[in-house]
């Protein structure tokens, strides 16, 4: 069974996955590998529906592994993905409040996310609030990471 890390961008999914298992599976990286172009470019060229279909196929494959999986922040948008995730017994929602996440995203100059660049703070807050219910719907465990260091989160999940 896969150990799946869920959460909004800036929650630390990739950082925590790397700390739990250096050979973790990064869903966004696997998607870009399969697509042959960046997720942002694929979205622009083919649209969200086409992207979510491929995302679901990859998620289905990843859930069959015994690996740590870092998902993209939007994986819960698709009902099919939520249904797949509900069948997995080890989904961890790395939860933080919006303002903390926004500060982390804004400070991360190495990873400029299209969703962050193309939306106002209020639009981003609305996206966050919509997704929050979906993360909680599929999570088998919710861990509030707002005030925890990556090391503390990794220790908590071991």
């Amino acid at each position: 069974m896969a150990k799946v890390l869920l959460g909004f961008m800036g929650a630390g999914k990739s950082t925590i996955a790397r700390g739990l298992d250096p050979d973790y599976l990064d869903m966004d990286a696997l998607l870009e590998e399969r697509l042959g172009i960046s997720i942002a470019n694929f979205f622009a060229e083919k649209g969200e529906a086409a992207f979510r279909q491929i995302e679901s196929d990859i998620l289905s494959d990843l859930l069959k592994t015994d690996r740590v999986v870092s998902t993209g922040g939007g994986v819960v948008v698709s009902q099919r993905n939520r249904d797949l995730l509900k069948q997995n017994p080890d989904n961890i929602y790395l939860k933080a409040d919006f303002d903390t996440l926004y500060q982390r995203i804004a400070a991360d100059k190495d990873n400029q996310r299209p969703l962050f660049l193309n939306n106002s703070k209020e639009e981003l807050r609305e996206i966050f609030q919509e997704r929050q219910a979906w993360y909680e719907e599929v999570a088998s465990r919710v861990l509030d990471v707002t005030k925890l260091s990556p090391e503390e989160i990794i220790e908590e999940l071991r």
Side-chain angles (χ1 to χ4, degrees), residues 1-58:
M1 116 190 113
K3 181 186 287 288
V4 179
L5 301 181
L6 301 160
F8 201 66
M9 61 182 136
K13 298 178 297 293
S14 296
T15 301
I16 302 312
R18 191 176 304 110
L20 290 170
D21 177 5
D23 293 326
Y24 79 101
L25 299 170
D26 182 303
M27 199 167 162
D28 282 347
L30 293 169
L31 271 159
E32 290 193 340
E33 202 175 286
R34 178 155 324 164
L35 299 172
I37 59 173
S38 74
I39 290 171
N41 287 345
F42 187 87
F43 243 81
E45 289 177 22
K46 309 268 193 212
E48 184 172 2
F51 173 78
R52 296 292 173 207
Q53 178 60 50
I54 295 166
E55 180 184 57
S56 291
D57 294 344
I58 289 177

